């Protein structure tokens, strides 16, 4: 029935929708059966984007609907906190990255079908640039418990070392994601509850090998962050072996692992052979020997800009070695040697560096027992230096006077730099 | 375990970093915005600002330093913990080593005692040895248990410690967050203050500039207004000036004009006065002379004057009457003349029509006649041919009858052609001069017919013109037209000749008349042509004849068709001759011949019938004959 009630005082023409809008609404309603999007004008596309249902299957929308309001709605429907600035201001990228992360994080080896991941690959490979995976689930251990009840410790050990404990294999994924640039990875378990076991937070040998191969196959990767994953020297060597010829890797982060001196030697080798710019080895077990290896790499021309050796066991042996290497280096900008049990010997060596070197911008020697002698040496050196804008010497048992004078010098350097920038 | 608790400690440090960067960028952008302002403001303000920026920088430094402090503190703590752990581990290891050493000694002792036991086989000794052995084992077990207990206690302690550190960390984190929030608060406060200050400064600046602009504007407006007012006053002065000038000029002009007028009037009045004076003098002189001469007649004059005036009055009425009548008459005449003209036109038109019709009728009549004649001739020829055939048939000699009318064709032309214009030939002889003289004579003789008034009017004109005017008047009154003038002249001359014959007798009787005529002829050439006494009768007779002739011509014209047609008798004879081309006896002969032919026809018919019968019979006969021959 179609009629207009003349007496209706609320009837207005503005309430009547346009035919074009009705048509577009119809397109929206039947988008699943017949997706039409390419032929529309920009304003019509906007109209459709605002009205499409976020629950539409991804294989339909992924490559058809462009980045815009639709993906914003999808994201906001799925997650509460959405900071698009972390994703290059692209809602679509955000959606696909987080979606893929969720899938991988909830992937249970031998339980979940790998097709679930593989199906997503063609849809999201154009949009995913970064993967930040905060947990990798181990396989379900029910059969192990049964064995435990049988009381066979040996069998359990075999089980543990066997393939049963392996995590998600990145080999199937990384070579497909052609736009991937950053990979943040931790072999951990977020909500373990009372089922805690150390093994849950470890990377197995098999995991390490598959990951190393996968990393080698991912030619676009620029940043690798593998933290809190119980990497020992052996695994580190394995990873470095595969990463040594990587064409695009620029930043490497092995923080909070168990890498020792032999691992550090491997890293030193990697530094000389690749184009790494940022290296973060904080909170490992590197001692003087390992530091010497890294210092050796530093003394040769390399592209390294930032070196972080925080919370290691360098001692004066490693500190002095690095300071000597820095005399030959003109590229490094940031150096962090905090918490390394170095003493005034290293401070004196570094003060020589500060006098000569004009590329270093920030230096951190906090939580070391430099003593008054080291402080004074540094103070003296800083008076000849104009490039250092950050110098952290907290908790180093340095004289208050020298600390304040160093700070003053740093601040003048800062203002100088700012003026340079302003110009 | 330690690693996990470390992570949150680091997290705030990380989260602070971007903010720091942000503040830095904000600062830089703010500085960039500030830069153009700085250029504008004065030196003192710049100093102020520098102070402020310093304050902000120090605030930011505090912010970052506090964070780094915490981080380093965390690091230091971690190092401490690590050292502690290592120490603990070392002690544990030592203890373990001691333990193992002690237990090894005891074990060795036990083993040794076993050896001694094996050697000495005395039961009480053995018993003792066994007892001591057992004691030793017990002590070992007790030691082990103690060790286990110690370790368990240590573990418990460690657990407690862990929980404590966790709690500590939590507290520290809370504190840190609080501090950070505080710092952020102070920073935002500082920024807000800065912003407020900036705003106020900006506002002040804008106010100052606004006031300045306003003042400038007002000043400019004032200048403009002053200028305009000055211009206006100038203009007004000018206008007033001009008005005054105009007024003066006007006054001057009017004065001049009035003066001129007055002068003119004066001169006029003077002249008028003079004129009147002269007039008065004149009149006085006249009166004086008149009064001198007509003193007695004055009385008579007055009476006569009165009479004259009365008479004049009387005369006026008939004059008016006459005028009226004249007018009426003129109108009537005009009307009548118009009517006459129309009638004449009508008449002429009718005449033309009649002429046209008569010609058309004549032609038609001729055509009809020709056609009829042709028909007749054909018929006659047919008849004659028939006759000749009949005659030939009858064997009578036939000859072509004499038919004179057969050559004739067309209507019979009337033989008499009226020789009317005989006097026209004479007319041709009449020269213009004679005509003229005759006309002059006529004029003189018919003078009585003219109105005296007309004559009076013509008196001053020349003779020729006089005669011309008179003649036109005369002819008009007599109804003679211009074209008839030569005819009239001719007639008059002829009349004279005719009269001359008659008058010869008279002349014989009275010889003085010709004598007089002769004398007159010697003097006047016209007298040769006609005697003036004969002019009037001649004219009269001409008029009569003319009237007659006019009537006759009218009659002639009306009956032109009948008059010109040949006599009916002629036609009758003509037609009769045609009808009677076959004589009576011949007709009789034709009847007889017809009768005879009829009879002959009947005989011929019979013969034809009989002949056909005969033929049939013959045929049958032949058939029969043929049948018979066949049979045979």
């Amino acid at each position: 029935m179609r009629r207009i009630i003349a007496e209706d005082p609320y009837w207005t023409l503005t309430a009547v929708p346009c035919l074009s809008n009705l048509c577009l609404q119809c397109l929206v309603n039947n988008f699943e059966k017949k997706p039409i999007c390419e032929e529309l004008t920009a304003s019509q596309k906007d109209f459709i984007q605002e009205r499409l249902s976020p629950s539409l299957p991804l294989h339909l929308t992924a490559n058809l609907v462009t980045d815009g309001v639709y993906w914003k709605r999808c994201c906001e429907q799925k997650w509460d906190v959405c900071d698009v600035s972390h994703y290059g201001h692209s809602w679509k990228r955000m959606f696909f990255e987080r979606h893929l992360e969720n899938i991988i994080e909830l992937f249970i080896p031998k339980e979940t079908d790998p097709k679930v991941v593989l199906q997503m690959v063609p849809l999201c490979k154009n949009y995913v640039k970064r993967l930040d995976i905060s947990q990798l689930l181990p396989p379900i251990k029910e059969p192990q418990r049964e064995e435990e009840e049988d009381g066979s410790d040996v069998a359990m050990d075999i089980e543990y070392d066997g393939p049963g404990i392996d995590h998600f294999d990145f080999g199937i994924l990384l070579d497909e994601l052609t736009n991937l640039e950053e990979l943040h990875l931790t072999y951990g378990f977020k909500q373990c509850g009372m089922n805690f076991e150390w093994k849950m937070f470890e990377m197995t040998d098999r995991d390490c090998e598959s990951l190393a191969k996968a990393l080698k196959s991912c030619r676009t990767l620029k940043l690798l962050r593998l933290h809190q994953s119980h990497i020992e020297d052996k695994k580190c060597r394995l990873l470095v072996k595969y990463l040594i010829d990587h064409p695009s890797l620029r930043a490497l982060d092995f923080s909070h692992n168990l890498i020792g001196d032999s691992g550090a030697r491997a890293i030193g080798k990697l530094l000389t052979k690749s184009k790494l710019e940022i290296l973060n080895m904080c909170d490992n077990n590197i001692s003087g020997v390992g530091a010497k290896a890294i210092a050796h790499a530093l003394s040769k021309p390399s592209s390294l800009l930032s070196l972080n050796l925080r919370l290691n066991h360098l001692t004066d042996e490693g500190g002095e070695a690095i300071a000597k290497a820095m005399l030959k280096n003109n590229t490094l900008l940031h150096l962090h040697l905090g918490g390394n049990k170095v003493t005034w010997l290293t401070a004196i060596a570094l003060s020589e560096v500060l006098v000569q070197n004009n590329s270093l911008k920030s230096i951190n020697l906090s939580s070391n027992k430099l003593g008054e002698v080291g402080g004074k040496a540094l103070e003296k050196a800083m008076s000849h230096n104009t490039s250092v804008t950050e110098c952290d010497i907290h908790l180093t048992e340095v004289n208050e006077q020298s600390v304040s004078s160093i700070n003053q010098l740093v601040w003048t350097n800062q203002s100088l730099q700012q003026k340079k920038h302003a110009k | 375990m330690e690693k996990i608790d470390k992570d949150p400690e680091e997290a705030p440090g990380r989260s602070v970093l971007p903010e720091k960067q942000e503040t830095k960028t904000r600062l830089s952008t703010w500085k960039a915005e500030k830069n153009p302002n700085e250029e504008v403001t004065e030196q003192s303000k710049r100093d102020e600002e520098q102070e402020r920026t310093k304050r902000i920088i120090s605030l930011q430094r505090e912010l970052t330093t506090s964070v780094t402090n915490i981080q380093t503190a965390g690091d230091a703590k971690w190092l401490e913990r690590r050292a502690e752990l290592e120490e603990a581990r070392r002690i544990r290891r030592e203890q373990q080593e001691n333990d193992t050493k002690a237990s090894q000694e005891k074990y060795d002792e036990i083993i040794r005692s076993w050896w001694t036991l094996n050697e000495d086989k005395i039961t009480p000794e053995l018993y003792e040895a066994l007892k001591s052995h057992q004691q030793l084992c017990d002590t070992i077990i007790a030691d082990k248990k103690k060790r286990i207990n110690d370790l368990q206690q240590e573990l418990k302690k460690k657990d407690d410690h862990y929980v404590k550190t966790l709690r500590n960390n939590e507290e520290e984190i809370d504190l840190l967050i609080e501090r950070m929030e505080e710092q952020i608060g102070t920073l935002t406060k500082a920024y807000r203050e800065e912003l407020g200050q900036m705003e106020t400064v900006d506002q002040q600046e804008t106010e100052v500039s606004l006031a300045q602009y306003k003042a400038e504007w007002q000043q400019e407006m004032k200048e403009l207004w002053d200028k305009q007012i000055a211009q206006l006053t100038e203009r007004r002065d000018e206008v007033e000036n001009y008005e005054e000038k105009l007024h003066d000029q006007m006054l001057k002009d009017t004065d001049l004009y009035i003066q001129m007028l007055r002068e003119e009037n004066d001169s006029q009045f003077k002249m008028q006065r003079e004129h009147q004076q002269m007039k008065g003098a004149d009149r006085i002189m006249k009166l004086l002379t008149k009064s001198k001469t007509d003193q007695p007649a004055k009385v008579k004059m007055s009476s006569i004057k009165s009479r004259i005036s009365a008479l004049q009055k009387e005369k006026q009425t008939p004059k008016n009457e006459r005028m009226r009548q004249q007018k009426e008459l003129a109108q009537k005449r005009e009307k009548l003349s118009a009517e006459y003209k129309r009638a004449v036109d009508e008449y002429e038109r009718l005449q033309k029509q009649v002429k046209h019709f008569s010609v058309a009728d004549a032609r038609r009549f001729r055509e009809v006649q020709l056609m009829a004649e042709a028909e007749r001739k054909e018929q006659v020829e047919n008849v004659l041919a028939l006759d000749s055939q009949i005659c030939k048939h009858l064997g009578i000699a036939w000859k072509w009858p004499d038919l004179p009318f057969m050559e004739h064709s067309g209507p019979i032309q009337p033989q008499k052609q009226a020789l009317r214009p005989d006097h026209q030939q004479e007319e041709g002889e009449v020269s213009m001069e004679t005509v003229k003289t005759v006309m002059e004579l006529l004029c003189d003789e018919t003078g009585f017919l003219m109105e005296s008034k007309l004559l009076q009017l013509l008196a001053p004109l020349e003779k020729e013109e006089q005669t011309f005017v008179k003649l036109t008047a005369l002819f008009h009154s007599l109804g003679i037209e211009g074209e008839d003038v030569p005819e009239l002249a001719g007639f008059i001359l002829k009349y004279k000749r005719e009269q001359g014959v008659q008058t010869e007798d008279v002349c014989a009787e009275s010889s003085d008349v010709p004598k007089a005529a002769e004398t007159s002829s010697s003097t006047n050439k016209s007298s040769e042509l006609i005697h003036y006494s004969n002019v009037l009768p001649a004219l009269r007779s001409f008029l009569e004849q003319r009237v007659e002739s006019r009537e006759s011509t009218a009659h002639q014209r009306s009956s032109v068709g009948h008059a010109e047609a040949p006599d009916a008798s002629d036609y009758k004879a003509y037609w009769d001759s045609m009808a009677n081309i076959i004589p009576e006896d011949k007709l009789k002969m034709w009847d007889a011949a017809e009768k005879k032919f009829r009879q002959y026809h009947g005989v011929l018919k019979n013969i034809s019938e009989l002949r056909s019968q005969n033929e049939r019979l013959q045929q049958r006969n032949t058939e029969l004959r043929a049948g018979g021959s066949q049979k045979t």
Side-chain angles (χ1 to χ4, degrees), chain B residues 19-20 23-24 26 55-61 63 180-194:
Chain B
E19 197 167 347
K20 178 180 138 197
T23 49
K24 261 191 183 171
R26 223 185 290 164
R55 202 160 65 93
I56 296 284
I57 286 167
S58 66
L59 261 174
Q60 280 177 340
R61 238 171 234 160
L63 194 80
M180 258 158 49
E181 270 169 6
E182 221 171 84
Q183 271 173 346
I184 287 164
T186 51
L187 201 71
T188 47
K189 211 172 154 191
Y191 276 133
R192 212 163 275 160
E193 272 173 26
E194 192 68 25

Side-chain angles (χ1 to χ4, degrees), chain A residues 198 310-311 313 366 394 411, chain B residues 10 61 69 72 75 82:
Chain A
W198 276 113
R310 187 166 69 98
L311 293 176
H313 308 281
S366 58
H394 288 102
W411 290 343
Chain B
E10 219 181 353
R61 238 171 234 160
N69 281 351
T72 45
D75 280 2
R82 214 196 244 175

Side-chain angles (χ1 to χ4, degrees), chain B residues 376 380 383-384 387 401-405 572-587 590:
Chain B
R376 286 297 92 68
V380 166
V383 167
L384 283 175
D387 190 32
D402 185 33
L403 293 169
F405 58 84
K572 204 179 175 223
Y574 176 70
W575 289 116
D576 279 350
S577 71
M578 231 184 258
N580 298 330
I581 197 152
I582 306 297
E584 199 72 17
D585 51 340
K586 222 167 212 178
L587 279 175
W590 280 7

Side-chain angles (χ1 to χ4, degrees), chain A residues 198 201 225 228 230 256-258 283-284 310-313 336 339-341 364 366-367 390 392 394-395 411 414 418, chain B residues 1-4 6-7 10 14 20 24 27 31 57 61 65 68-69 71-76 78-79 82-83 86:
Chain A
W198 276 113
F201 297 88
R225 182 157 171 257
Q228 298 178 37
H230 245 271
H256 309 295
N257 280 306
L258 300 170
D283 196 12
N284 277 297
R310 187 166 69 98
L311 293 176
N312 278 296
H313 308 281
H336 200 313
N340 269 310
K341 292 180 186 169
N364 195 328
S366 58
S367 310
E390 277 175 51
D392 196 339
H394 288 102
L395 302 175
W411 290 343
Q414 265 181 19
Q418 274 177 359
Chain B
M1 252 195 278
E2 287 95 335
K3 266 168 203 166
I4 290 162
K6 240 193 64 60
D7 207 41
E10 219 181 353
R14 225 184 284 158
K20 178 180 138 197
K24 261 191 183 171
L27 185 76
K31 271 203 164 175
I57 286 167
R61 238 171 234 160
T65 46
T68 45
N69 281 351
Q71 210 174 345
T72 45
D75 280 2
W78 171 235
L79 276 176
R82 214 196 244 175
E86 262 169 35

